PDB file of all heavy atoms in Angstrom:
ATOM      1  N   ILE A 213       0.860  -1.179   0.000  1.00 97.00           N
ATOM      2  CA  ILE A 213       0.003   0.002   0.010  1.00 97.00           C
ATOM      3  C   ILE A 213       0.890   1.234  -0.005  1.00 97.00           C
ATOM      4  O   ILE A 213       1.939   1.277   0.646  1.00 97.00           O
ATOM      5  CB  ILE A 213      -0.956   0.024   1.207  1.00 97.00           C
ATOM      6  CG1 ILE A 213      -2.003   1.139   1.082  1.00 97.00           C
ATOM      7  CG2 ILE A 213      -0.198   0.085   2.523  1.00 97.00           C
ATOM      8  CD1 ILE A 213      -3.139   1.068   2.089  1.00 97.00           C
ATOM      9  N   SER A 214       0.473   2.253  -0.731  1.00 97.00           N
ATOM     10  CA  SER A 214       1.218   3.511  -0.787  1.00 97.00           C
ATOM     11  C   SER A 214       0.218   4.634  -1.035  1.00 97.00           C
ATOM     12  O   SER A 214      -0.946   4.388  -1.322  1.00 97.00           O
ATOM     13  CB  SER A 214       2.272   3.495  -1.867  1.00 97.00           C
ATOM     14  OG  SER A 214       1.700   3.281  -3.132  1.00 97.00           O
ATOM     15  N   ARG A 215       0.684   5.870  -0.925  1.00 95.00           N
ATOM     16  CA  ARG A 215      -0.202   6.998  -1.141  1.00 95.00           C
ATOM     17  C   ARG A 215       0.569   8.168  -1.734  1.00 95.00           C
ATOM     18  O   ARG A 215       1.786   8.319  -1.566  1.00 95.00           O
ATOM     19  CB  ARG A 215      -0.865   7.411   0.163  1.00 95.00           C
ATOM     20  CG  ARG A 215       0.038   7.996   1.201  1.00 95.00           C
ATOM     21  CD  ARG A 215      -0.684   8.217   2.520  1.00 95.00           C
ATOM     22  NE  ARG A 215      -1.662   9.267   2.463  1.00 95.00           N
ATOM     23  CZ  ARG A 215      -2.559   9.512   3.410  1.00 95.00           C
ATOM     24  NH1 ARG A 215      -2.631   8.700   4.501  1.00 95.00           N
ATOM     25  NH2 ARG A 215      -3.438  10.530   3.304  1.00 95.00           N
ATOM     26  N   ASP A 216      -0.169   9.014  -2.427  1.00 94.00           N
ATOM     27  CA  ASP A 216       0.343  10.273  -2.943  1.00 94.00           C
ATOM     28  C   ASP A 216      -0.544  11.338  -2.314  1.00 94.00           C
ATOM     29  O   ASP A 216      -1.638  11.596  -2.761  1.00 94.00           O
ATOM     30  CB  ASP A 216       0.226  10.312  -4.478  1.00 94.00           C
ATOM     31  CG  ASP A 216       0.848  11.546  -5.054  1.00 94.00           C
ATOM     32  OD1 ASP A 216       1.022  12.538  -4.325  1.00 94.00           O
ATOM     33  OD2 ASP A 216       1.149  11.565  -6.263  1.00 94.00           O
ATOM     34  N   SER A 217      -0.037  11.918  -1.268  1.00 87.00           N
ATOM     35  CA  SER A 217      -0.845  12.873  -0.468  1.00 87.00           C
ATOM     36  C   SER A 217      -1.207  14.108  -1.304  1.00 87.00           C
ATOM     37  O   SER A 217      -2.323  14.652  -1.129  1.00 87.00           O
ATOM     38  CB  SER A 217      -0.086  13.291   0.779  1.00 87.00           C
ATOM     39  OG  SER A 217       0.088  12.191   1.660  1.00 87.00           O
ATOM     40  N   ALA A 218      -0.345  14.517  -2.219  1.00 89.00           N
ATOM     41  CA  ALA A 218      -0.629  15.685  -3.034  1.00 89.00           C
ATOM     42  C   ALA A 218      -1.848  15.455  -3.935  1.00 89.00           C
ATOM     43  O   ALA A 218      -2.520  16.381  -4.353  1.00 89.00           O
ATOM     44  CB  ALA A 218       0.563  16.083  -3.845  1.00 89.00           C
ATOM     45  N   LYS A 219      -2.095  14.193  -4.265  1.00 92.00           N
ATOM     46  CA  LYS A 219      -3.227  13.865  -5.139  1.00 92.00           C
ATOM     47  C   LYS A 219      -4.358  13.202  -4.360  1.00 92.00           C
ATOM     48  O   LYS A 219      -5.343  12.754  -5.006  1.00 92.00           O
ATOM     49  CB  LYS A 219      -2.726  12.907  -6.253  1.00 92.00           C
ATOM     50  CG  LYS A 219      -1.666  13.506  -7.133  1.00 92.00           C
ATOM     51  CD  LYS A 219      -1.083  12.503  -8.109  1.00 92.00           C
ATOM     52  CE  LYS A 219      -2.097  11.969  -9.071  1.00 92.00           C
ATOM     53  NZ  LYS A 219      -1.470  11.083 -10.097  1.00 92.00           N
ATOM     54  N   ASN A 220      -4.271  13.116  -3.077  1.00 94.00           N
ATOM     55  CA  ASN A 220      -5.285  12.457  -2.239  1.00 94.00           C
ATOM     56  C   ASN A 220      -5.631  11.085  -2.771  1.00 94.00           C
ATOM     57  O   ASN A 220      -6.782  10.672  -2.891  1.00 94.00           O
ATOM     58  CB  ASN A 220      -6.558  13.321  -2.173  1.00 94.00           C
ATOM     59  CG  ASN A 220      -6.365  14.584  -1.390  1.00 94.00           C
ATOM     60  OD1 ASN A 220      -5.540  14.669  -0.455  1.00 94.00           O
ATOM     61  ND2 ASN A 220      -7.132  15.611  -1.735  1.00 94.00           N
ATOM     62  N   THR A 221      -4.584  10.332  -3.084  1.00 96.00           N
ATOM     63  CA  THR A 221      -4.748   9.058  -3.746  1.00 96.00           C
ATOM     64  C   THR A 221      -3.955   7.957  -2.954  1.00 96.00           C
ATOM     65  O   THR A 221      -2.827   8.190  -2.542  1.00 96.00           O
ATOM     66  CB  THR A 221      -4.262   9.087  -5.186  1.00 96.00           C
ATOM     67  OG1 THR A 221      -5.041  10.064  -5.899  1.00 96.00           O
ATOM     68  CG2 THR A 221      -4.428   7.742  -5.849  1.00 96.00           C
ATOM     69  N   VAL A 222      -4.597   6.802  -2.852  1.00 96.00           N
ATOM     70  CA  VAL A 222      -3.978   5.643  -2.233  1.00 96.00           C
ATOM     71  C   VAL A 222      -3.911   4.549  -3.276  1.00 96.00           C
ATOM     72  O   VAL A 222      -4.812   4.401  -4.116  1.00 96.00           O
ATOM     73  CB  VAL A 222      -4.684   5.189  -0.971  1.00 96.00           C
ATOM     74  CG1 VAL A 222      -6.124   4.745  -1.275  1.00 96.00           C
ATOM     75  CG2 VAL A 222      -3.920   4.110  -0.256  1.00 96.00           C
ATOM     76  N   TYR A 223      -2.855   3.732  -3.225  1.00 97.00           N
ATOM     77  CA  TYR A 223      -2.658   2.645  -4.198  1.00 97.00           C
ATOM     78  C   TYR A 223      -2.497   1.356  -3.446  1.00 97.00           C
ATOM     79  O   TYR A 223      -2.077   1.303  -2.286  1.00 97.00           O
ATOM     80  CB  TYR A 223      -1.394   2.927  -5.034  1.00 97.00           C
ATOM     81  CG  TYR A 223      -1.362   4.244  -5.695  1.00 97.00           C
ATOM     82  CD1 TYR A 223      -0.748   5.334  -5.126  1.00 97.00           C
ATOM     83  CD2 TYR A 223      -1.966   4.431  -6.966  1.00 97.00           C
ATOM     84  CE1 TYR A 223      -0.725   6.568  -5.755  1.00 97.00           C
ATOM     85  CE2 TYR A 223      -1.944   5.658  -7.590  1.00 97.00           C
ATOM     86  CZ  TYR A 223      -1.315   6.723  -6.973  1.00 97.00           C
ATOM     87  OH  TYR A 223      -1.294   7.968  -7.613  1.00 97.00           O
ATOM     88  N   LEU A 224      -2.811   0.295  -4.164  1.00 98.00           N
ATOM     89  CA  LEU A 224      -2.555  -1.064  -3.659  1.00 98.00           C
ATOM     90  C   LEU A 224      -1.933  -1.845  -4.806  1.00 98.00           C
ATOM     91  O   LEU A 224      -2.644  -2.199  -5.774  1.00 98.00           O
ATOM     92  CB  LEU A 224      -3.831  -1.729  -3.166  1.00 98.00           C
ATOM     93  CG  LEU A 224      -3.630  -3.105  -2.514  1.00 98.00           C
ATOM     94  CD1 LEU A 224      -2.891  -2.987  -1.203  1.00 98.00           C
ATOM     95  CD2 LEU A 224      -4.967  -3.803  -2.289  1.00 98.00           C
ATOM     96  N   GLN A 225      -0.657  -2.142  -4.677  1.00 98.00           N
ATOM     97  CA  GLN A 225       0.025  -2.978  -5.643  1.00 98.00           C
ATOM     98  C   GLN A 225      -0.114  -4.434  -5.194  1.00 98.00           C
ATOM     99  O   GLN A 225       0.312  -4.772  -4.087  1.00 98.00           O
ATOM    100  CB  GLN A 225       1.501  -2.613  -5.747  1.00 98.00           C
ATOM    101  CG  GLN A 225       2.314  -3.458  -6.697  1.00 98.00           C
ATOM    102  CD  GLN A 225       1.871  -3.302  -8.153  1.00 98.00           C
ATOM    103  OE1 GLN A 225       1.724  -2.182  -8.596  1.00 98.00           O
ATOM    104  NE2 GLN A 225       1.693  -4.433  -8.840  1.00 98.00           N
ATOM    105  N   MET A 226      -0.720  -5.265  -6.022  1.00 98.00           N
ATOM    106  CA  MET A 226      -0.990  -6.640  -5.671  1.00 98.00           C
ATOM    107  C   MET A 226      -0.205  -7.561  -6.629  1.00 98.00           C
ATOM    108  O   MET A 226      -0.422  -7.513  -7.829  1.00 98.00           O
ATOM    109  CB  MET A 226      -2.483  -6.953  -5.782  1.00 98.00           C
ATOM    110  CG  MET A 226      -3.348  -6.052  -4.911  1.00 98.00           C
ATOM    111  SD  MET A 226      -5.122  -6.562  -4.890  1.00 98.00           S
ATOM    112  CE  MET A 226      -5.525  -6.223  -6.609  1.00 98.00           C
ATOM    113  N   ASN A 227       0.706  -8.304  -6.060  1.00 97.00           N
ATOM    114  CA  ASN A 227       1.497  -9.226  -6.823  1.00 97.00           C
ATOM    115  C   ASN A 227       1.233 -10.660  -6.399  1.00 97.00           C
ATOM    116  O   ASN A 227       0.709 -10.909  -5.334  1.00 97.00           O
ATOM    117  CB  ASN A 227       3.004  -8.917  -6.601  1.00 97.00           C
ATOM    118  CG  ASN A 227       3.398  -7.549  -7.080  1.00 97.00           C
ATOM    119  OD1 ASN A 227       2.893  -7.040  -8.059  1.00 97.00           O
ATOM    120  ND2 ASN A 227       4.359  -6.928  -6.333  1.00 97.00           N
ATOM    121  N   ASN A 228       1.588 -11.576  -7.281  1.00 97.00           N
ATOM    122  CA  ASN A 228       1.391 -13.008  -7.055  1.00 97.00           C
ATOM    123  C   ASN A 228      -0.034 -13.320  -6.563  1.00 97.00           C
ATOM    124  O   ASN A 228      -0.229 -13.979  -5.554  1.00 97.00           O
ATOM    125  CB  ASN A 228       2.430 -13.512  -5.994  1.00 97.00           C
ATOM    126  CG  ASN A 228       2.502 -15.038  -5.917  1.00 97.00           C
ATOM    127  OD1 ASN A 228       2.175 -15.726  -6.877  1.00 97.00           O
ATOM    128  ND2 ASN A 228       2.931 -15.529  -4.777  1.00 97.00           N
ATOM    129  N   LEU A 229      -0.950 -12.869  -7.344  1.00 97.00           N
ATOM    130  CA  LEU A 229      -2.344 -13.023  -6.988  1.00 97.00           C
ATOM    131  C   LEU A 229      -2.776 -14.494  -7.127  1.00 97.00           C
ATOM    132  O   LEU A 229      -2.262 -15.231  -7.965  1.00 97.00           O
ATOM    133  CB  LEU A 229      -3.240 -12.164  -7.866  1.00 97.00           C
ATOM    134  CG  LEU A 229      -3.186 -10.665  -7.524  1.00 97.00           C
ATOM    135  CD1 LEU A 229      -3.737  -9.856  -8.703  1.00 97.00           C
ATOM    136  CD2 LEU A 229      -4.001 -10.377  -6.278  1.00 97.00           C
ATOM    137  N   SER A 230      -3.679 -14.889  -6.281  1.00 96.00           N
ATOM    138  CA  SER A 230      -4.257 -16.230  -6.305  1.00 96.00           C
ATOM    139  C   SER A 230      -5.766 -16.138  -6.373  1.00 96.00           C
ATOM    140  O   SER A 230      -6.346 -15.077  -6.100  1.00 96.00           O
ATOM    141  CB  SER A 230      -3.831 -17.016  -5.060  1.00 96.00           C
ATOM    142  OG  SER A 230      -4.440 -16.522  -3.898  1.00 96.00           O
ATOM    143  N   PRO A 231      -6.436 -17.224  -6.766  1.00 96.00           N
ATOM    144  CA  PRO A 231      -7.901 -17.176  -6.835  1.00 96.00           C
ATOM    145  C   PRO A 231      -8.555 -16.784  -5.506  1.00 96.00           C
ATOM    146  O   PRO A 231      -9.638 -16.208  -5.503  1.00 96.00           O
ATOM    147  CB  PRO A 231      -8.270 -18.609  -7.214  1.00 96.00           C
ATOM    148  CG  PRO A 231      -7.128 -19.074  -8.000  1.00 96.00           C
ATOM    149  CD  PRO A 231      -5.913 -18.476  -7.351  1.00 96.00           C
ATOM    150  N   GLU A 232      -7.892 -17.049  -4.380  1.00 95.00           N
ATOM    151  CA  GLU A 232      -8.422 -16.665  -3.107  1.00 95.00           C
ATOM    152  C   GLU A 232      -8.500 -15.161  -2.880  1.00 95.00           C
ATOM    153  O   GLU A 232      -9.152 -14.695  -1.954  1.00 95.00           O
ATOM    154  CB  GLU A 232      -7.599 -17.308  -1.971  1.00 95.00           C
ATOM    155  CG  GLU A 232      -7.788 -18.824  -1.848  1.00 95.00           C
ATOM    156  CD  GLU A 232      -7.172 -19.611  -2.976  1.00 95.00           C
ATOM    157  OE1 GLU A 232      -6.139 -19.137  -3.553  1.00 95.00           O
ATOM    158  OE2 GLU A 232      -7.682 -20.675  -3.346  1.00 95.00           O
ATOM    159  N   ASP A 233      -7.782 -14.425  -3.751  1.00 96.00           N
ATOM    160  CA  ASP A 233      -7.813 -12.970  -3.659  1.00 96.00           C
ATOM    161  C   ASP A 233      -9.030 -12.392  -4.381  1.00 96.00           C
ATOM    162  O   ASP A 233      -9.219 -11.157  -4.338  1.00 96.00           O
ATOM    163  CB  ASP A 233      -6.513 -12.379  -4.248  1.00 96.00           C
ATOM    164  CG  ASP A 233      -5.306 -12.764  -3.454  1.00 96.00           C
ATOM    165  OD1 ASP A 233      -5.361 -12.706  -2.203  1.00 96.00           O
ATOM    166  OD2 ASP A 233      -4.296 -13.110  -4.075  1.00 96.00           O
ATOM    167  N   THR A 234      -9.784 -13.197  -5.062  1.00 97.00           N
ATOM    168  CA  THR A 234     -10.955 -12.707  -5.767  1.00 97.00           C
ATOM    169  C   THR A 234     -11.955 -12.085  -4.806  1.00 97.00           C
ATOM    170  O   THR A 234     -12.387 -12.743  -3.855  1.00 97.00           O
ATOM    171  CB  THR A 234     -11.628 -13.849  -6.553  1.00 97.00           C
ATOM    172  OG1 THR A 234     -10.758 -14.302  -7.578  1.00 97.00           O
ATOM    173  CG2 THR A 234     -12.931 -13.372  -7.205  1.00 97.00           C
ATOM    174  N   ALA A 235     -12.300 -10.828  -5.032  1.00 98.00           N
ATOM    175  CA  ALA A 235     -13.196 -10.120  -4.150  1.00 98.00           C
ATOM    176  C   ALA A 235     -13.449  -8.760  -4.716  1.00 98.00           C
ATOM    177  O   ALA A 235     -12.818  -8.326  -5.724  1.00 98.00           O
ATOM    178  CB  ALA A 235     -12.559  -9.977  -2.750  1.00 98.00           C
ATOM    179  N   VAL A 236     -14.393  -8.036  -4.119  1.00 98.00           N
ATOM    180  CA  VAL A 236     -14.528  -6.601  -4.375  1.00 98.00           C
ATOM    181  C   VAL A 236     -13.656  -5.849  -3.374  1.00 98.00           C
ATOM    182  O   VAL A 236     -13.767  -6.111  -2.166  1.00 98.00           O
ATOM    183  CB  VAL A 236     -15.993  -6.171  -4.236  1.00 98.00           C
ATOM    184  CG1 VAL A 236     -16.113  -4.644  -4.441  1.00 98.00           C
ATOM    185  CG2 VAL A 236     -16.901  -6.893  -5.239  1.00 98.00           C
ATOM    186  N   TYR A 237     -12.824  -5.010  -3.913  1.00 98.00           N
ATOM    187  CA  TYR A 237     -11.905  -4.252  -3.079  1.00 98.00           C
ATOM    188  C   TYR A 237     -12.433  -2.845  -2.885  1.00 98.00           C
ATOM    189  O   TYR A 237     -12.740  -2.151  -3.857  1.00 98.00           O
ATOM    190  CB  TYR A 237     -10.505  -4.244  -3.691  1.00 98.00           C
ATOM    191  CG  TYR A 237      -9.773  -5.564  -3.544  1.00 98.00           C
ATOM    192  CD1 TYR A 237     -10.175  -6.680  -4.251  1.00 98.00           C
ATOM    193  CD2 TYR A 237      -8.686  -5.697  -2.667  1.00 98.00           C
ATOM    194  CE1 TYR A 237      -9.542  -7.894  -4.080  1.00 98.00           C
ATOM    195  CE2 TYR A 237      -8.056  -6.897  -2.542  1.00 98.00           C
ATOM    196  CZ  TYR A 237      -8.469  -8.014  -3.218  1.00 98.00           C
ATOM    197  OH  TYR A 237      -7.825  -9.199  -3.054  1.00 98.00           O
TER     198      TYR A 237
END
């Protein structure tokens, strides 16, 4: 997880995803 405070934006970089990660985020 990371953020750019100047843009009021948060990010979530997701790597090595598996079917168990299937969801609404």
Side-chain angles (χ1 to χ4, degrees):
I213 189 170
S214 61
R215 67 188 291 169
D216 185 341
S217 295
K219 299 172 64 176
N220 291 331
T221 299
V222 64
Y223 306 93
L224 184 68
Q225 178 66 47
M226 304 186 294
N227 299 324
N228 194 24
L229 287 162
S230 69
E232 289 70 32
D233 296 316
T234 295
V236 177
Y237 285 70

